[in-house]
Amino acid sequence: QVQLVESGGGSVQPGGSLRLSCAASGSIFSSYVMGWYRQAPGKQRELVAVITTGGRINYSDSVKGRFAISRDNAKNTVYLQMNSLKLEDTAVYYCNAYRGITGYWGQGTQVTVSS
């Protein structure tokens, strides 16, 4: 079992930055693939970024070059640095951990980009 708690969301103007954190507990963090997803109102949840146990990273095309995912296995935490935020980045951001066929979700943190 893995418990995930996101933090760092908030309101920011276009062009601003936020850093999300996801603290994990309850299992061996380093053995999980970690990802960030987001869901905007009226839309499906979509993948933002994922980082494997070996450190390989993939981003959605919409955030490539602006967002950066990283993990600190010593702190059981995954981060999402978001720069050059756009209006369309507004969503609830969810942390995800999976290993094999088992996945876990955090409760989500709201990110609002508005002028």
Side-chain angles (χ1 to χ4, degrees), residues 13-42:
Q13 292 185 336
S17 298
L18 285 173
R19 188 194 195 202
L20 305 183
S21 299
C22 172
S25 62
S27 190
I28 305 173
F29 175 80
S30 61
S31 68
Y32 283 81
V33 176
M34 300 300 298
W36 286 97
Y37 291 72
R38 66 187 182 187
Q39 188 166 17

Side-chain angles (χ1 to χ4, degrees), residues 21-113:
S21 299
C22 172
S25 62
S27 190
I28 305 173
F29 175 80
S30 61
S31 68
Y32 283 81
V33 176
M34 300 300 298
W36 286 97
Y37 291 72
R38 66 187 182 187
Q39 188 166 17
K43 295 188 177 181
Q44 290 188 331
R45 191 171 298 188
E46 64 175 359
L47 174 67
V48 175
V50 63
I51 183 168
T52 70
T53 57
R56 285 191 300 174
I57 292 172
N58 280 306
Y59 297 102
S60 69
D61 288 342
S62 61
V63 307
K64 203 171 293 183
R66 300 187 297 121
F67 290 12
I69 188 172
S70 61
R71 65 190 298 162
D72 186 337
N73 290 336
K75 295 182 178 180
N76 287 0
T77 301
V78 63
Y79 304 97
L80 185 68
Q81 178 66 44
M82 305 186 294
N83 299 324
S84 301
L85 283 161
K86 303 177 180 180
L87 297 175
E88 53 264 39
D89 294 319
T90 295
V92 178
Y93 284 70
Y94 296 91
C95 178
N96 174 267
Y98 78 86
R99 183 178 65 186
I101 61 171
T102 303
Y104 302 92
W105 293 95
Q107 83 287 350
T109 185
Q110 177 70 46
V111 171
T112 302
V113 185

